[in-house]
Amino acid sequence: MRALVTGGAGFLGSHLCDALLGDGYHVIAVDNLLTGRHDNIAHLASDPRFEFLEADVCASFDCGSVDYVYHFASPASPVDYMIHGVETLQVGSIGTFNALECARRHRAKFFLASTSECYGDPAVHPQKETYWGNVNPIGPRSVYDEAKRFSEAATMAYLRYHKVDTHIVRIFNTYGPRMQVNDGRVIPNFMKQALSGEDLTVFGDGKQTRSFCYVADEIDGILRLARSDEHDPTNIGNPVEFTMLECAEKVLEITGSKSKIRFEPLPQDDPKQRRPDITKARKLLGWEPKVDLLTGLRLSLDYFIPAVAKNAAVARAR
Ligand SMILES: NC(=O)c1ccc[n+]([C@@H]2O[C@H](COP(=O)([O-])OP(=O)(O)OC[C@H]3O[C@@H](n4cnc5c(N)ncnc54)[C@H](O)[C@@H]3O)[C@@H](O)[C@H]2O)c1
Protein backbone atom coordinates (compact mmCIF):
# COMPACT_ATOMS: atom_id res chain seq x y z
CA MET A 1 0.00 0.00 0.00
CA ARG A 2 1.35 3.43 -0.99
CA ALA A 3 0.27 6.65 0.69
CA LEU A 4 0.93 10.20 -0.51
CA VAL A 5 1.21 12.87 2.20
CA THR A 6 1.14 16.45 0.89
CA GLY A 7 2.78 18.77 3.43
CA GLY A 8 4.74 15.73 4.66
CA ALA A 9 7.70 17.82 5.89
CA GLY A 10 5.46 19.92 8.15
CA PHE A 11 4.62 19.45 11.81
CA LEU A 12 1.54 17.20 11.48
CA GLY A 13 2.47 15.78 8.06
CA SER A 14 5.78 14.40 9.37
CA HIS A 15 4.08 12.74 12.37
CA LEU A 16 1.53 11.27 9.95
CA CYS A 17 4.38 9.87 7.78
CA ASP A 18 5.83 8.18 10.89
CA ALA A 19 2.47 6.65 11.78
CA LEU A 20 1.75 5.42 8.23
CA LEU A 21 5.21 3.83 7.98
CA GLY A 22 4.45 2.17 11.32
CA ASP A 23 1.25 0.82 9.75
CA GLY A 24 3.26 -0.79 6.93
CA TYR A 25 2.66 1.82 4.19
CA HIS A 26 5.18 2.95 1.61
CA VAL A 27 5.03 6.74 2.08
CA ILE A 28 5.69 9.53 -0.42
CA ALA A 29 5.90 12.99 1.16
CA VAL A 30 5.43 15.95 -1.19
CA ASP A 31 6.34 19.36 0.19
CA ASN A 32 7.67 22.66 -1.18
CA LEU A 33 9.19 23.51 2.25
CA LEU A 34 7.28 26.81 2.43
CA THR A 35 6.73 26.34 6.17
CA GLY A 36 8.05 22.80 6.59
CA ARG A 37 11.61 21.62 7.20
CA HIS A 38 13.92 18.78 6.14
CA ASP A 39 14.76 18.32 9.85
CA ASN A 40 11.22 17.00 10.46
CA ILE A 41 11.79 14.03 8.16
CA ALA A 42 15.59 13.62 8.45
CA HIS A 43 15.10 10.51 10.63
CA LEU A 44 13.23 8.82 7.73
CA ALA A 45 15.92 9.39 5.08
CA SER A 46 17.37 5.88 5.41
CA ASP A 47 13.98 4.10 5.37
CA PRO A 48 13.56 2.43 1.93
CA ARG A 49 9.76 2.74 2.28
CA PHE A 50 9.97 6.54 2.51
CA GLU A 51 10.38 8.95 -0.42
CA PHE A 52 10.53 12.74 -0.34
CA LEU A 53 9.59 14.84 -3.36
CA GLU A 54 10.27 18.58 -3.11
CA ALA A 55 7.41 20.02 -5.17
CA ASP A 56 4.58 22.52 -5.06
CA VAL A 57 1.20 20.75 -5.09
CA CYS A 58 -0.23 23.76 -6.97
CA ALA A 59 1.88 22.68 -9.96
CA SER A 60 1.32 19.29 -11.54
CA PHE A 61 3.37 16.55 -9.87
CA ASP A 62 3.63 12.82 -10.36
CA CYS A 63 4.38 10.33 -7.65
CA GLY A 64 3.09 7.20 -9.35
CA SER A 65 0.21 5.02 -8.27
CA VAL A 66 -1.04 5.50 -4.69
CA ASP A 67 -3.79 3.95 -2.54
CA TYR A 68 -4.36 6.90 -0.21
CA VAL A 69 -3.86 10.66 -0.60
CA TYR A 70 -3.55 12.67 2.63
CA HIS A 71 -3.77 16.38 1.80
CA PHE A 72 -2.03 18.28 4.62
CA ALA A 73 -0.17 20.95 2.60
CA SER A 74 -1.04 24.49 3.72
CA PRO A 75 0.49 27.16 5.91
CA ALA A 76 -1.30 26.65 9.22
CA SER A 77 -0.18 29.22 11.76
CA PRO A 78 -1.64 32.77 11.63
CA VAL A 79 1.90 34.18 11.26
CA ASP A 80 2.56 31.93 8.25
CA TYR A 81 -0.73 32.36 6.46
CA MET A 82 -0.75 36.12 6.91
CA ILE A 83 2.73 36.32 5.31
CA HIS A 84 1.79 33.77 2.61
CA GLY A 85 -1.86 34.79 2.09
CA VAL A 86 -2.00 34.21 -1.67
CA GLU A 87 -0.08 30.90 -1.43
CA THR A 88 -2.54 29.79 1.28
CA LEU A 89 -5.52 30.46 -1.01
CA GLN A 90 -3.73 28.71 -3.88
CA VAL A 91 -2.84 25.55 -1.96
CA GLY A 92 -6.39 25.38 -0.57
CA SER A 93 -7.91 25.67 -4.05
CA ILE A 94 -5.53 24.61 -6.88
CA GLY A 95 -3.52 22.36 -4.53
CA THR A 96 -6.69 20.69 -3.25
CA PHE A 97 -7.93 20.07 -6.81
CA ASN A 98 -4.55 18.56 -7.76
CA ALA A 99 -4.59 16.28 -4.71
CA LEU A 100 -8.21 15.26 -5.39
CA GLU A 101 -7.39 14.59 -9.06
CA CYS A 102 -4.46 12.43 -7.98
CA ALA A 103 -6.86 10.37 -5.81
CA ARG A 104 -9.39 10.12 -8.68
CA ARG A 105 -6.73 9.11 -11.22
CA HIS A 106 -5.38 6.32 -9.04
CA ARG A 107 -8.75 5.29 -7.53
CA ALA A 108 -7.22 6.13 -4.16
CA LYS A 109 -8.95 7.24 -0.98
CA PHE A 110 -8.63 10.92 -0.07
CA PHE A 111 -8.23 12.58 3.32
CA LEU A 112 -8.44 16.36 3.86
CA ALA A 113 -6.81 18.14 6.81
CA SER A 114 -9.40 20.82 7.50
CA THR A 115 -9.64 23.01 10.54
CA SER A 116 -11.68 24.39 13.41
CA GLU A 117 -11.11 27.77 11.69
CA CYS A 118 -14.06 26.77 9.46
CA TYR A 119 -16.19 27.77 12.48
CA GLY A 120 -14.59 31.26 12.54
CA ASP A 121 -15.43 33.23 15.70
CA PRO A 122 -18.15 30.78 16.73
CA ALA A 123 -21.54 31.88 17.98
CA VAL A 124 -22.19 28.30 19.17
CA HIS A 125 -20.15 26.69 21.91
CA PRO A 126 -18.75 24.03 21.93
CA GLN A 127 -18.61 23.54 18.16
CA LYS A 128 -20.46 20.60 16.65
CA GLU A 129 -19.83 19.52 13.05
CA THR A 130 -23.38 20.63 12.15
CA TYR A 131 -22.58 24.29 13.00
CA TRP A 132 -21.90 26.26 9.78
CA GLY A 133 -19.63 28.83 11.38
CA ASN A 134 -19.22 32.58 11.70
CA VAL A 135 -16.41 33.54 9.34
CA ASN A 136 -15.46 37.02 8.13
CA PRO A 137 -14.96 36.30 4.38
CA ILE A 138 -12.75 39.36 3.77
CA GLY A 139 -10.87 39.76 7.06
CA PRO A 140 -7.13 39.08 7.51
CA ARG A 141 -7.76 35.44 8.51
CA SER A 142 -10.04 34.80 5.52
CA VAL A 143 -7.16 33.58 3.32
CA TYR A 144 -6.95 30.52 5.54
CA ASP A 145 -10.55 30.09 6.74
CA GLU A 146 -12.11 30.42 3.31
CA ALA A 147 -9.41 28.30 1.63
CA LYS A 148 -10.26 25.49 4.04
CA ARG A 149 -14.02 25.94 3.61
CA PHE A 150 -13.47 25.79 -0.16
CA SER A 151 -11.31 22.66 0.28
CA GLU A 152 -14.16 21.00 2.17
CA ALA A 153 -16.64 21.93 -0.59
CA ALA A 154 -14.27 20.58 -3.28
CA THR A 155 -13.78 17.35 -1.33
CA MET A 156 -17.54 16.83 -0.96
CA ALA A 157 -17.95 17.52 -4.70
CA TYR A 158 -15.42 14.79 -5.60
CA LEU A 159 -17.34 12.41 -3.34
CA ARG A 160 -20.70 13.30 -4.93
CA TYR A 161 -19.71 13.74 -8.58
CA HIS A 162 -16.65 11.49 -8.96
CA LYS A 163 -17.35 8.88 -6.25
CA VAL A 164 -13.90 9.36 -4.67
CA ASP A 165 -13.88 7.82 -1.17
CA THR A 166 -13.20 11.02 0.81
CA HIS A 167 -12.76 11.91 4.49
CA ILE A 168 -12.49 15.31 6.20
CA VAL A 169 -11.03 16.02 9.63
CA ARG A 170 -11.54 19.37 11.37
CA ILE A 171 -8.38 19.65 13.44
CA PHE A 172 -8.46 21.81 16.56
CA ASN A 173 -5.26 23.40 17.97
CA THR A 174 -2.64 20.67 18.07
CA TYR A 175 0.83 20.98 19.57
CA GLY A 176 3.96 18.94 20.16
CA PRO A 177 7.51 18.26 18.96
CA ARG A 178 8.51 19.58 15.48
CA MET A 179 6.42 22.75 15.64
CA GLN A 180 8.39 25.73 14.37
CA VAL A 181 9.66 27.81 17.29
CA ASN A 182 8.77 31.05 15.46
CA ASP A 183 5.39 30.15 14.01
CA GLY A 184 3.49 32.37 16.44
CA ARG A 185 1.12 29.64 17.67
CA VAL A 186 0.37 29.75 21.37
CA ILE A 187 2.42 26.83 22.70
CA PRO A 188 5.65 27.39 20.71
CA ASN A 189 5.40 31.09 21.45
CA PHE A 190 5.04 30.60 25.21
CA MET A 191 7.77 27.91 25.19
CA LYS A 192 10.20 30.18 23.32
CA GLN A 193 9.49 33.13 25.60
CA ALA A 194 9.66 31.09 28.82
CA LEU A 195 12.88 29.29 27.82
CA SER A 196 14.52 32.57 26.68
CA GLY A 197 13.56 34.47 29.85
CA GLU A 198 11.32 36.87 27.88
CA ASP A 199 7.85 38.05 28.98
CA LEU A 200 5.02 35.75 27.87
CA THR A 201 2.70 37.80 25.66
CA VAL A 202 -0.99 37.22 26.30
CA PHE A 203 -3.50 38.98 24.02
CA GLY A 204 -6.54 40.86 25.35
CA ASP A 205 -7.31 40.04 28.99
CA GLY A 206 -6.15 36.44 28.50
CA LYS A 207 -9.62 35.09 29.25
CA GLN A 208 -10.25 33.88 25.69
CA THR A 209 -10.11 30.09 25.64
CA ARG A 210 -8.55 27.39 23.50
CA SER A 211 -8.36 23.63 23.77
CA PHE A 212 -5.05 21.98 22.97
CA CYS A 213 -4.60 18.47 21.62
CA TYR A 214 -1.29 16.61 21.93
CA VAL A 215 0.00 15.48 18.52
CA ALA A 216 -0.05 11.72 19.30
CA ASP A 217 -3.76 11.93 20.17
CA GLU A 218 -4.50 13.95 17.03
CA ILE A 219 -2.72 11.46 14.74
CA ASP A 220 -4.52 8.55 16.42
CA GLY A 221 -7.89 10.24 15.71
CA ILE A 222 -6.87 11.04 12.12
CA LEU A 223 -5.92 7.42 11.38
CA ARG A 224 -9.13 6.09 12.90
CA LEU A 225 -11.14 8.49 10.74
CA ALA A 226 -9.09 7.55 7.65
CA ARG A 227 -10.00 3.88 8.17
CA SER A 228 -13.71 4.64 8.74
CA ASP A 229 -16.59 4.96 6.27
CA GLU A 230 -17.43 8.52 7.40
CA HIS A 231 -17.44 11.20 4.68
CA ASP A 232 -18.81 14.25 6.51
CA PRO A 233 -16.39 16.47 8.47
CA THR A 234 -15.41 15.15 11.90
CA ASN A 235 -13.91 17.16 14.76
CA ILE A 236 -10.71 15.79 16.25
CA GLY A 237 -9.38 17.85 19.13
CA ASN A 238 -9.15 17.95 22.89
CA PRO A 239 -12.34 19.30 24.48
CA VAL A 240 -10.70 20.44 27.72
CA GLU A 241 -10.71 24.23 27.60
CA PHE A 242 -8.07 26.57 29.06
CA THR A 243 -7.83 30.35 29.14
CA MET A 244 -4.70 31.79 27.54
CA LEU A 245 -3.66 32.92 31.00
CA GLU A 246 -3.95 29.38 32.44
CA CYS A 247 -1.96 28.04 29.52
CA ALA A 248 0.81 30.63 30.07
CA GLU A 249 0.93 29.67 33.76
CA LYS A 250 1.28 25.96 32.90
CA VAL A 251 4.19 26.70 30.56
CA LEU A 252 5.88 28.73 33.31
CA GLU A 253 5.33 25.81 35.71
CA ILE A 254 6.85 23.07 33.53
CA THR A 255 9.79 25.18 32.30
CA GLY A 256 10.51 26.57 35.78
CA SER A 257 10.90 29.96 34.09
CA LYS A 258 10.87 33.24 36.02
CA SER A 259 9.42 35.13 33.02
CA LYS A 260 6.49 37.50 33.59
CA ILE A 261 3.19 37.72 31.71
CA ARG A 262 2.63 40.82 29.52
CA PHE A 263 -0.77 41.79 28.03
CA GLU A 264 -1.10 43.05 24.43
CA PRO A 265 -4.12 44.13 22.29
CA LEU A 266 -6.28 41.36 20.83
CA PRO A 267 -5.66 40.80 17.06
CA GLN A 268 -8.60 41.37 14.65
CA ASP A 269 -11.10 38.47 14.39
CA ASP A 270 -9.29 36.46 17.09
CA PRO A 271 -11.84 33.83 18.22
CA LYS A 272 -12.89 34.29 21.86
CA GLN A 273 -13.68 30.65 22.44
CA ARG A 274 -12.80 27.43 20.68
CA ARG A 275 -13.70 23.97 21.93
CA PRO A 276 -14.61 20.89 19.90
CA ASP A 277 -17.69 18.85 20.57
CA ILE A 278 -16.21 15.37 20.02
CA THR A 279 -19.39 13.35 20.59
CA LYS A 280 -19.26 12.18 16.96
CA ALA A 281 -15.60 11.02 17.12
CA ARG A 282 -16.28 9.25 20.42
CA LYS A 283 -19.27 7.33 19.04
CA LEU A 284 -18.05 6.71 15.52
CA LEU A 285 -14.35 6.06 16.09
CA GLY A 286 -14.17 5.17 19.78
CA TRP A 287 -11.61 8.00 19.93
CA GLU A 288 -10.81 10.07 22.99
CA PRO A 289 -7.69 12.17 23.68
CA LYS A 290 -5.53 10.64 26.42
CA VAL A 291 -2.79 13.22 27.03
CA ASP A 292 -3.65 16.14 29.35
CA LEU A 293 -2.09 19.56 28.80
CA LEU A 294 0.53 19.36 31.55
CA THR A 295 1.72 15.92 30.36
CA GLY A 296 1.76 17.05 26.71
CA LEU A 297 3.78 20.15 27.61
CA ARG A 298 6.29 17.99 29.51
CA LEU A 299 6.55 15.63 26.50
CA SER A 300 7.15 18.64 24.23
CA LEU A 301 9.76 20.29 26.45
CA ASP A 302 12.54 17.86 25.38
CA TYR A 303 12.05 19.10 21.81
CA PHE A 304 11.64 22.80 22.62
CA ILE A 305 14.76 23.19 24.82
CA PRO A 306 17.26 22.45 21.97
CA ALA A 307 14.96 23.96 19.31
CA VAL A 308 14.78 27.31 21.15
CA ALA A 309 18.57 27.26 21.74
CA LYS A 310 19.20 26.56 18.02
CA ASN A 311 16.77 29.31 17.02
CA ALA A 312 18.61 31.80 19.27
CA ALA A 313 22.01 30.74 17.85
CA VAL A 314 20.74 31.24 14.28
CA ALA A 315 19.36 34.69 15.21
CA ARG A 316 22.72 35.68 16.78
CA ALA A 317 24.64 34.54 13.68
CA ARG A 318 22.54 36.78 11.39
N1 LIG B 1 -1.44 22.12 13.78
C1 LIG B 1 -2.68 22.48 13.98
O1 LIG B 1 -3.06 22.80 15.12
C2 LIG B 1 -3.69 22.47 12.86
C3 LIG B 1 -5.00 22.86 13.16
C4 LIG B 1 -5.94 22.85 12.14
C5 LIG B 1 -5.59 22.40 10.87
N2 LIG B 1 -4.32 22.04 10.61
C6 LIG B 1 -4.01 21.63 9.21
O2 LIG B 1 -3.08 20.56 9.19
C7 LIG B 1 -2.18 20.72 8.09
C8 LIG B 1 -0.75 20.70 8.59
O3 LIG B 1 -0.56 21.77 9.51
P1 LIG B 1 0.80 21.92 10.34
O4 LIG B 1 0.45 22.45 11.66
O5 LIG B 1 1.58 20.67 10.25
O6 LIG B 1 1.50 23.09 9.51
P2 LIG B 1 2.97 23.16 8.87
O7 LIG B 1 3.15 24.53 8.36
O8 LIG B 1 3.98 22.62 9.83
O9 LIG B 1 2.85 22.11 7.66
C9 LIG B 1 2.29 22.44 6.43
C10 LIG B 1 3.22 21.89 5.34
O10 LIG B 1 2.66 22.15 4.05
C11 LIG B 1 3.72 22.55 3.19
N3 LIG B 1 3.17 23.30 2.07
C12 LIG B 1 2.51 24.49 2.10
N4 LIG B 1 2.14 24.86 0.85
C13 LIG B 1 2.55 23.87 0.02
C14 LIG B 1 2.46 23.67 -1.38
N5 LIG B 1 1.87 24.55 -2.20
N6 LIG B 1 2.99 22.53 -1.91
C15 LIG B 1 3.60 21.61 -1.12
N7 LIG B 1 3.72 21.76 0.22
C16 LIG B 1 3.20 22.87 0.79
C17 LIG B 1 4.65 23.36 4.08
O11 LIG B 1 5.95 23.52 3.56
C18 LIG B 1 4.61 22.54 5.36
O12 LIG B 1 5.61 21.54 5.38
C19 LIG B 1 -2.56 22.03 7.40
O13 LIG B 1 -3.38 21.74 6.28
C20 LIG B 1 -3.35 22.77 8.45
O14 LIG B 1 -4.29 23.63 7.89
C21 LIG B 1 -3.36 22.07 11.57
Side-chain angles (χ1 to χ4, degrees), residues 48-272:
R49 290 178 303 122
F50 180 74
E51 288 172 49
F52 176 64
L53 177 64
E54 187 172 336
D56 185 339
V57 294
C58 297
S60 69
F61 61 92
D62 185 16
C63 57
S65 175
V66 287
D67 303 284
Y68 218 127
V69 175
Y70 290 86
H71 183 39
F72 277 60
S74 171
S77 82
V79 165
D80 286 336
Y81 65 68
M82 299 234 197
I83 294 172
H84 303 292
V86 172
E87 291 89 337
T88 303
L89 282 162
Q90 284 172 335
V91 75
S93 52
I94 305 163
T96 300
F97 273 127
N98 284 345
L100 280 162
E101 268 305 310
C102 176
R104 178 161 89 122
R105 217 171 32 247
H106 296 298
R107 295 196 169 79
K109 296 184 180 199
F110 179 86
F111 190 98
L112 174 69
S114 185
T115 170
S116 56
E117 299 288 338
C118 287
Y119 301 119
D121 188 2
V124 167
H125 198 70
Q127 292 80 53
K128 268 189 193 306
E129 291 86 349
T130 45
Y131 175 52
W132 290 352
N134 177 34
V135 172
N136 176 351
I138 55 164
R141 302 172 77 103
S142 63
V143 289
Y144 184 66
D145 303 3
E146 296 295 9
K148 288 292 180 179
R149 286 163 71 98
F150 178 86
S151 290
E152 289 197 4
T155 302
M156 293 308 288
Y158 268 64
L159 169 73
R160 292 190 185 111
Y161 297 104
H162 296 314
K163 310 293 176 231
V164 176
D165 184 357
T166 62
H167 308 272
I168 300 174
V169 63
R170 288 196 183 136
I171 301 169
F172 282 66
N173 285 342
T174 300
Y175 69 98
R178 300 188 199 153
M179 293 186 92
Q180 297 175 71
V181 169
N182 283 326
D183 82 0
R185 287 187 267 194
V186 178
I187 306 271
N189 212 29
F190 285 165
M191 283 283 194
K192 184 180 80 171
Q193 291 170 327
L195 292 169
S196 319
E198 295 164 13
D199 290 350
L200 271 62
T201 40
V202 168
F203 297 108
D205 58 8
K207 293 201 179 110
Q208 70 276 33
T209 64
R210 293 292 184 277
S211 51
F212 299 99
C213 189
Y214 187 63
V215 61
D217 281 334
E218 188 67 47
I219 296 290
D220 176 36
I222 284 171
L223 288 181
R224 285 175 192 238
L225 182 60
R227 291 184 205 115
S228 79
D229 295 326
E230 179 60 16
H231 300 301
D232 288 346
T234 304
N235 291 338
I236 298 286
N238 193 318
V240 181
E241 209 171 359
F242 292 93
T243 66
M244 290 293 105
L245 213 46
E246 287 169 333
C247 180
E249 281 157 3
K250 287 204 187 304
V251 171
L252 290 177
E253 182 186 333
I254 63 126
T255 53
S257 169
K258 300 275 174 286
S259 293
K260 304 267 178 298
I261 292 175
R262 179 160 46 89
F263 293 90
E264 291 204 346
L266 206 58
Q268 189 188 338
D269 297 335
D270 198 48
K272 287 169 234 18

